[in-house]
Amino acid sequence: MNQGDNGSGVLRLSRIGRAWRAAVVVALIALFCAGSLVGNDHWWPFSPWRMFATSQAATGSVWSTGIEVRTADEPGEWVRAPLTPENVGVNRAEVEGRIPQIEADPARLGTLAESHAKLRPGAAAWIGLRVVRHKIVVVDREPTGEVETEVLAEWAAS
């Protein structure tokens, strides 16, 4: 007969096994409660998960962050570029999370241009890059077509 087997073929946890599992559950509950009450997004996965806990007003504006680039082929024109891992090596959310640092030091945008050059060697080189925030006006949950664009940071190749 195995330890914990009471003859029914069911294995039972020892007192120590039950105690440490209970302690882990209590610790996780405490972390989730603390994260919900005083935590911020950096406490992930114990953070408040605000993205699931809030909703957008039916009338107002929605913000969208993106990048625009100048290429060696068309140096006088800013063109929208995909902010994707395939294009620059990072997700849009990773750039959005670093907006304060990028605004403080726009030279950081040069790393996106370098990544693009490595990921897309056949594409025209980026000689300028800027992070823009588009404010899209919404009325009754429908876009009105009105879009305001704000340049948050700009970089130019030396």
Side-chain angles (χ1 to χ4, degrees):
M1 195 184 284
N2 293 331
Q3 181 180 353
D5 186 346
N6 62 5
S8 66
V10 176
L11 294 175
R12 303 278 181 203
L13 288 174
S14 67
R15 284 186 188 178
I16 294 172
R18 287 191 305 264
W20 79 262
R21 282 170 175 79
V24 167
V25 168
V26 168
L28 288 172
I29 289 171
L31 285 169
F32 280 114
C33 289
S36 294
L37 296 172
V38 297
N40 60 33
D41 291 340
H42 298 291
W43 284 37
W44 190 90
F46 307 107
S47 60
W49 295 25
R50 285 184 197 88
M51 72 286 256
F52 300 115
T54 61
S55 65
Q56 189 68 28
T59 298
S61 57
V62 177
W63 298 91
S64 174
T65 304
I67 60 171
E68 295 177 349
V69 299
R70 284 188 179 156
T71 64
D73 292 347
E74 297 200 31
E77 185 177 335
W78 288 103
V79 180
R80 278 187 170 180
L83 191 46
T84 62
E86 297 79 21
N87 201 40
V88 293
V90 295
N91 290 310
R92 181 174 67 159
E94 293 173 283
V95 172
E96 288 175 336
R98 300 264 183 215
I99 293 294
Q101 292 94 337
I102 292 170
E103 287 177 319
D105 182 15
R108 290 174 178 248
L109 294 174
T111 60
L112 295 179
E114 291 171 13
S115 295
H116 179 264
K118 290 176 185 173
L119 293 167
R120 304 274 187 216
W126 290 355
I127 59 170
L129 190 145
R130 65 186 184 184
V131 176
V132 294
R133 183 175 290 152
H134 304 285
K135 179 177 144 184
I136 303 154
V137 178
V138 176
V139 175
D140 294 328
R141 301 198 191 287
E142 294 292 326
T144 63
E146 181 183 344
V147 178
E148 296 175 21
T149 300
E150 175 186 7
V151 176
L152 302 177
E154 189 173 317
W155 165 85
S158 320

